Amino acid sequence: MSLAIWTNHLVRGALGALGAPGFAVRGAFTKHINTYNRYSNSSERVKEYFKDKPIQKITRADYQLFLNEYGKGKSKETVRKLNTHIRACVRDAIDEGYITIDFTRKVELNATHNAKKSEDKHLNYNESVKLYNELFKRLSPSTSTYHLILLGLVSGLRFGELTGLTIDCFDFKKNQIKVYRAWDYKRGTGFGPLKNEQSERKISIDESIS
């Protein structure tokens, strides 16, 4: 049996852990798409590299070369996540008696890019003020782009939440926005649920924005 086949257990295990009925992919996509995509991506990387190579014939050296290749242009954290997924699959294969050695053990997680620092992922206060003022200058009835960016800046909404807003979400009397669904802009499947139940909320917006 190939490692590519065994990686399907990654996806199946993810769905089971998330409480999806059976192995129904649809349930994962509608409620836990981010987690499903991470496991599915790991499965695809294994299939691309190892193809139909039997899991019994994969050595630690083979697996190390795979990680080294995958780590090109990626951060160590990204490589670590992939290794974590595959290690779970390998341990499952050991439990089932298909292999006796964990070839993911003691491998080195090599990467060519450094992970972004927390401060590099977000705008600081001064940068936010500059962006806020510039967006106001560019607001125009001919395009909604700058309105959308401005609304995201002052509300903190995720992009999927922003694009999932419709007219019924706005209460102009109370200057509030009701967030109860998101738009799947990555796969184009339309409206879907939020990341979790806690994400459903009402947000008050300054009168100058609304």
Side-chain angles (χ1 to χ4, degrees):
M1 183 176 292
S2 69
L3 178 60
I5 292 177
W6 265 101
T7 53
N8 289 328
H9 287 278
L10 292 171
V11 180
R12 292 178 177 182
L15 300 186
L18 293 171
F23 293 153
V25 175
R26 182 175 180 83
F29 271 105
T30 56
K31 191 174 182 180
H32 303 286
I33 187 169
N34 291 332
T35 300
Y36 173 83
N37 284 341
R38 286 195 294 270
Y39 278 87
S40 182
N41 178 68
S42 296
S43 178
E44 290 301 317
R45 300 296 76 76
V46 168
K47 292 177 184 177
E48 288 176 0
Y49 188 88
F50 289 105
K51 297 181 172 59
D52 295 327
K53 186 171 185 177
I55 191 172
Q56 294 88 346
K57 293 187 177 181
I58 296 176
T59 65
R60 185 176 298 166
D62 294 332
Y63 184 66
Q64 183 67 68
L65 289 174
F66 162 68
L67 288 182
N68 292 347
E69 185 66 26
Y70 179 76
K72 294 179 179 178
K74 298 180 178 63
S75 69
K76 192 169 185 177
E77 178 61 19
T78 299
V79 179
R80 184 195 66 77
K81 290 179 180 178
L82 175 74
N83 182 61
T84 298
H85 293 165
I86 298 176
R87 175 172 289 182
C89 172
V90 170
R91 288 179 176 175
D92 185 45
I94 292 174
D95 290 342
E96 295 292 333
Y98 283 91
I99 56 177
T100 58
I101 297 176
D102 181 357
F103 53 76
T104 67
R105 187 169 175 266
K106 293 185 178 181
V107 293
E108 295 182 4
L109 305 181
N110 299 315
T112 59
H113 284 193
N114 294 324
K116 288 184 178 180
K117 298 179 181 178
S118 178
E119 57 267 27
D120 294 333
K121 298 180 181 180
H122 310 282
L123 298 177
N124 60 37
Y125 175 77
N126 291 330
E127 292 170 336
S128 297
V129 171
K130 289 181 181 179
L131 178 59
Y132 179 87
N133 293 331
E134 185 61 32
L135 289 171
F136 254 106
K137 294 177 185 178
R138 300 194 181 202
L139 294 180
S140 169
S142 62
T143 177
S144 61
T145 300
Y146 299 116
H147 292 82
L148 188 66
I149 298 174
L150 179 60
L151 183 58
L153 179 65
V154 300
S155 67
L157 291 177
R158 301 180 180 92
F159 185 71
E161 294 174 338
L162 279 171
T163 53
L165 294 175
T166 49
I167 190 64
D168 63 294
C169 299
F170 295 87
D171 187 333
F172 295 102
K173 292 183 179 180
K174 297 181 179 180
N175 294 323
Q176 286 185 338
I177 297 176
K178 181 181 179 181
V179 184
Y180 68 95
R181 62 183 178 180
W183 181 263
D184 180 12
Y185 61 93
K186 292 183 178 179
R187 296 182 177 271
T189 59
F191 290 106
L194 299 172
K195 188 173 183 180
N196 50 55
E197 293 182 0
Q198 291 71 33
S199 296
E200 187 170 329
R201 61 206 185 277
K202 291 184 178 179
I203 299 175
S204 296
I205 300 296
D206 187 82
E207 189 173 352
S208 62
I209 303 298
S210 59

